Amino acid sequence: MPKPVISPDEFVNEVNRRLPDHDCYTAGLQMFLLPRNGREEDAIGIDWEPRTARNGVIAISETHRQVSAEFTVSKYPGRRH
């Protein structure tokens, strides 16, 4: 069964929605698309803040992995892959 296709922005929103449920979550931790404040279709990657968040890398990477396992991310969700 194919995974649902979501946009990069939807992917980031889903990761951010789930982050507070992670044991290593630090208040204020969030993921965002690069370039920041750019258009979604121009995204070249992801990053997170604050960099000082304790265990932020663990929370982000594990949550990222979970969401990646459930969805296919596409800049063009209407196209077949």
Side-chain angles (χ1 to χ4, degrees):
M1 183 170 171
K3 299 187 283 185
V5 178
I6 60 174
S7 70
D9 194 48
E10 291 171 318
F11 179 83
V12 168
N13 289 341
E14 184 62 18
V15 170
N16 285 332
R17 185 185 71 75
R18 295 181 188 198
L19 276 175
D21 296 333
H22 195 282
D23 292 343
C24 294
Y25 175 75
T26 300
L29 181 63
Q30 66 173 338
M31 182 185 206
F32 55 89
L33 292 173
L34 291 174
R36 186 130 198 200
N37 299 323
R39 298 179 327 182
E40 175 184 18
E41 58 270 14
D42 295 334
I44 59 169
I46 56 172
D47 204 352
W48 71 92
E49 66 180 5
R51 288 299 192 160
T52 57
R54 184 171 178 241
N55 295 324
V57 174
I58 295 168
I60 289 282
S61 69
E62 289 180 2
T63 306
H64 183 285
R65 189 172 25 257
Q66 291 170 353
V67 176
S68 294
E70 294 176 33
F71 298 96
T72 297
V73 180
S74 174
K75 289 183 179 184
Y76 312 102
R79 296 185 187 170
R80 286 193 60 97
H81 299 280

